[in-house]
Amino acid sequence: MSRAPSRVFFVLLAHAASACSTHPLVEVRSPDGALRLRVDADVASTAAARREGLAGRDDLDAGSGLLLVFPTEGEVCIANTHVGFAIDALFADAAGRIVAIERGIPAGDSAVRCHTPVTHVLEVAEGVALSVQAHDVLEQAP
C-alpha cells in the first residue's frame, strides 16, 4: 500500500509558535507504508532554536528526537559541534521524502554536512535510524 506524505504535518510544523513548543510523534515510513522509525520530537522552528539544536543535552533516548524545521526548501547544513553524543540525521524535502541520511555523526564533530533540497532535519541518537532509507517519508503520526 502506497502512502502519500502528510502535507498537513509540514504546514503545522512550519507554523509552530516557538522552538520546542510542540512534541509531535514523528514517523518515517517506507514508500509502501511500512513503519521504519517513530519518535517523540521536539520541534526547532526558529532560527535561534535551530542554531541551538541538541547543544547542552546529555543524550537522546531511542524514542526521542529533534526536528529542525526550515521556512523554505534549500540547502541545509548541520554540525554536531557542541553535542556530547553521536547522532543520525535524516534530511527531508518539502514533501517529506528523505533525500539524505548522515549516520554516526560523532560527538563534538564540527564538520559541516549539507544537503539539498531540504525543509526538515530529524536528529536522533546514533543507531536509532538504521532501518531508514533514502526515499522513505517523514510524517506526523496519526
Side-chain angles (χ1 to χ4, degrees):
M1 172 168 107
S2 180
R3 290 177 52 124
S6 174
R7 296 193 195 293
V8 172
F9 168 67
F10 295 106
V11 171
L12 289 173
L13 290 177
H15 295 293
S18 64
C20 302
S21 64
T22 59
H23 297 271
L25 194 58
V26 176
E27 294 180 339
V28 178
R29 293 187 173 271
S30 68
D32 67 359
L35 181 66
R36 301 232 200 244
L37 175 67
R38 179 182 289 142
V39 296
D40 181 33
D42 288 334
V43 177
S45 60
T46 66
R50 290 188 300 268
R51 271 191 306 277
E52 181 181 334
L54 294 170
R57 296 191 194 195
D58 293 329
D59 63 5
L60 279 175
D61 65 40
S64 298
L66 176 64
L67 185 66
L68 307 172
V69 181
F70 296 85
T72 58
E73 190 174 71
E75 182 178 54
V76 170
C77 300
I78 66 166
N80 208 30
T81 307
H82 301 290
V83 179
F85 53 93
I87 64 169
D88 292 342
L90 310 175
F91 295 77
D93 66 13
R97 284 181 298 274
I98 304 297
V99 297
I101 302 168
E102 294 280 352
R103 298 186 200 280
I105 302 171
D109 187 356
S110 61
V112 177
R113 291 158 173 84
C114 301
H115 296 282
T116 192
V118 173
T119 56
H120 297 79
V121 179
L122 179 61
E123 297 179 341
V124 295
E126 178 182 28
V128 170
L130 285 176
S131 64
V132 176
Q133 300 174 16
H135 307 292
D136 284 350
V137 179
L138 179 73
E139 60 188 14
Q140 183 174 13

